[in-house]
Amino acid sequence: QVQVMESGGGSVQAGGSLKLSCTVSGYHYSYCLGWFREAPGSEREGVAASDVTGRTSFADSVNGRFTISQDNAKKTMYLQMDSLKPEDTNMYHCAFRAGLCSQDFPLRAGQYTFWGQGTQVTVSS
């Protein structure tokens, strides 16, 4: 059974940085991991995605501020979030899909099959 676990959330002031981690277990082939955020009453937003080839995708709202790195041996993806803004405040979820990330719609939530419970990111002004 695939399991996805996030860590690294917290509180920071605007302009600060946080680094989130997403670790996968129970799967030994190529996969894609995506980061999504969802505030209460709002639609889920795809933030970033990356697969084992190192191909990455970012939402326009975070492009240039967020970066991704991976440790394939640890099956862990890191989301480095810099220049954080109050509007980045959200619950961040990591999600898994087997195979490489979609080239056309890597941030479409419906293609991901396993989800973590989320980690809260709060950015104060």
Side-chain angles (χ1 to χ4, degrees):
Q1 177 76 358
V2 175
Q3 291 188 319
V4 178
M5 183 172 294
E6 311 95 335
S7 62
S11 297
V12 66
Q13 289 192 322
S17 299
L18 284 173
K19 188 174 185 178
L20 306 184
S21 300
C22 175
T23 299
V24 177
S25 61
Y27 195 75
H28 304 289
Y29 306 98
S30 296
Y31 57 85
C32 170
L33 294 178
W35 283 101
F36 295 81
R37 60 189 184 186
E38 185 175 18
S42 298
E43 201 170 310
R44 182 173 292 176
E45 176 191 11
V47 174
S50 181
D51 60 32
V52 293
T53 68
R55 180 170 58 198
T56 58
S57 301
F58 295 93
D60 290 342
S61 57
V62 305
N63 200 21
R65 299 189 296 122
F66 291 11
T67 56
I68 284 177
S69 61
Q70 295 188 94
D71 185 334
N72 288 333
K74 294 182 178 180
K75 296 183 180 177
T76 299
M77 179 173 75
Y78 305 97
L79 182 67
Q80 177 68 42
M81 306 186 295
D82 298 321
S83 302
L84 282 163
K85 304 175 181 179
E87 51 263 44
D88 293 319
T89 295
N90 238 308
M91 180 69 77
Y92 285 71
H93 296 269
C94 182
F96 165 99
R97 58 157 279 177
L100 302 181
C101 292
S102 165
Q103 293 192 48
D104 296 325
F105 305 105
L107 302 181
R108 182 171 287 179
Q111 63 187 296
Y112 293 86
T113 52
F114 294 94
W115 292 75
Q117 293 194 334
T119 185
Q120 178 67 36
V121 170
T122 302
V123 184
S124 58
S125 57

